[in-house]
Amino acid sequence: MSAAVSRSGARRDVEFDADGVTLRGWFYPTGDSAPTAVVVMAHGFSLVKEAYLDRYAERLAAAGLAVLVYDHRNFGASEGSPRQEIDPWRQIEDYRHAITYAGTLPEVDPDRIGVWGTSYSGGHAVVVAAGDLRVKAVVSQTPAINGVQTGWRRTPMAQLADLGEQFAAERKTRMQTGEVAMRPVIGSGAQRPVYPAEDAFDFFSTVGRIAPSWRNEVTVRTGEWSRVYNAGHHIDMVSPRPLLMIVADDDTVSGTDLQLTAFNRALEPKSLRIIPGGHFAPYVEQFEATASAAAEFFATHLRTSGR
């Protein structure tokens, strides 16, 4: 991984243990002489840190926040197998390992830790903050907040039996042969991709150019787990830690209505920022709005002086 320089100074490559699996990422120091607040961040469904997370990390670092950004297990520079498999509960536990590691760094004040997540990890950030009292503030951006409802919306009822048979067949094959079945993240309708919409195709196609380690596939079992993962069940337990939810007004991937319904169940203190566009708008078209909102929120609630 190459070094990059932000207004906070040079980031450095880091790695840490997560129950025997090495996770790798970048640490952005602030350059301050005293330990500072830190934000722990990881990417969404199938994505790797090179897909715009460096931009978010630099913006937060410029606001006086140290940042730890890493690749999920089984993805990018991190270890783990099967490759390209997303177990949401394992990723949540790895967030906790990342929090532990961040707290050991001499540049970090372990009493001022925030978590940031986007899309799939936007849901993770809620769950982590609900259960880990070390977290003092959380930003959840266009979160995958209700996998049960989005699963029902994506699969017509007439196809549910066939889908269940596919999941069962994959489990049997994996047990008997060790072979892991895959499906594309984007592609033609005949390929049955995870995201068939045009905006997803455009976004992930760009990601493939800027993040060479991203792969256009996930395991079939990933889909089985995602259909029963409901991060929104935990949202009322985030309080009294402050929550910022960033919602796109035309999110047909995670569901604008599902996000707003979850936000309404969250207890105070909470803040809502609605941006124009679809699920992938925060990374490019709405980057300035979303990065600035997160930086201001964390600087306020983790008590930094800003830059």
Side-chain angles (χ1 to χ4, degrees):
M1 292 177 284
S2 61
V5 177
S6 68
R7 293 192 327 196
S8 63
R11 77 183 183 204
R12 66 175 183 262
D13 297 344
V14 295
E15 61 180 40
F16 54 94
D17 177 71
D19 290 336
V21 172
T22 299
L23 304 185
R24 297 187 175 93
W26 301 318
F27 178 69
Y28 290 75
T30 65
D32 293 347
S33 57
T36 60
V38 67
V39 175
V40 175
M41 59 168 48
H43 223 316
F45 192 94
S46 86
L47 288 163
V48 293
K49 62 188 181 302
E50 289 84 0
Y52 304 110
L53 289 200
D54 51 347
R55 299 178 71 201
Y56 279 101
E58 288 174 11
R59 181 59 60 85
L60 296 182
L65 298 145
V67 183
L68 173 64
V69 53
Y70 66 97
D71 283 331
H72 293 294
R73 68 172 57 214
N74 309 335
F75 289 86
S78 291
E79 295 181 348
S81 62
R83 300 303 290 176
Q84 305 300 115
E85 181 150 281
I86 305 172
D87 180 342
W89 296 106
R90 185 70 264 181
Q91 290 188 346
I92 287 165
E93 184 65 16
D94 287 342
Y95 254 106
R96 296 189 174 108
H97 289 306
I99 289 168
T100 300
Y101 172 71
T104 69
L105 298 174
E107 298 97 334
V108 166
D109 179 350
D111 293 324
R112 292 189 288 159
I113 295 176
V115 294
W116 178 99
T118 184
S119 189
Y120 210 48
S121 69
H124 298 349
V126 168
V127 179
V128 172
D132 196 320
L133 299 182
R134 296 173 297 177
V135 176
K136 300 304 190 291
V138 56
V139 172
S140 176
Q141 178 173 279
T142 57
I145 204 71
N146 190 331
V148 175
Q149 287 297 320
T150 53
W152 278 101
R153 292 178 182 188
R154 290 173 185 171
T155 305
M157 293 185 67
Q159 297 177 11
L160 286 177
D162 179 59
L163 183 64
E165 291 176 0
Q166 291 177 41
F167 289 150
E170 192 279 334
R171 284 184 172 274
K172 181 177 179 181
T173 298
R174 191 185 293 201
M175 177 179 287
Q176 293 177 337
T177 69
E179 180 182 351
V180 178
M182 312 295 286
R183 66 179 297 197
V185 177
I186 56 172
S188 67
Q191 295 173 301
R192 304 186 70 172
V194 175
Y195 299 122
E198 184 177 349
D199 62 340
F201 186 89
D202 292 342
F203 172 77
F204 282 101
S205 295
T206 300
V207 164
R209 294 192 291 272
I210 67 174
S213 66
W214 178 76
R215 290 166 51 185
N216 183 25
E217 60 181 2
V218 292
T219 66
V220 168
R221 191 171 297 181
T222 290
E224 184 178 10
W225 282 325
S226 71
R227 291 182 59 84
V228 294
Y229 171 50
N230 193 338
H233 280 323
H234 302 260
I235 200 164
D236 59 334
M237 295 186 289
V238 173
S239 177
R241 277 76 54 79
L243 164 71
L244 169 63
M245 185 179 288
I246 299 173
V247 174
D249 66 5
D250 189 25
D251 189 339
T252 59
V253 173
S254 295
T256 300
D257 62 320
L258 299 177
Q259 295 163 357
L260 294 176
T261 297
F263 179 80
N264 286 338
R265 291 204 324 274
L267 305 180
E268 298 289 349
K270 61 181 180 178
S271 302
L272 176 66
R273 177 68 182 269
I274 298 180
I275 60 169
H279 185 77
F280 305 102
Y283 307 106
V284 182
E285 300 94 334
Q286 295 297 322
F287 171 76
E288 290 296 331
T290 56
S292 296
E296 180 180 350
F297 176 83
F298 281 128
T300 298
H301 293 288
L302 299 179
R303 301 184 304 280
T304 70
S305 59
R307 290 294 172 101

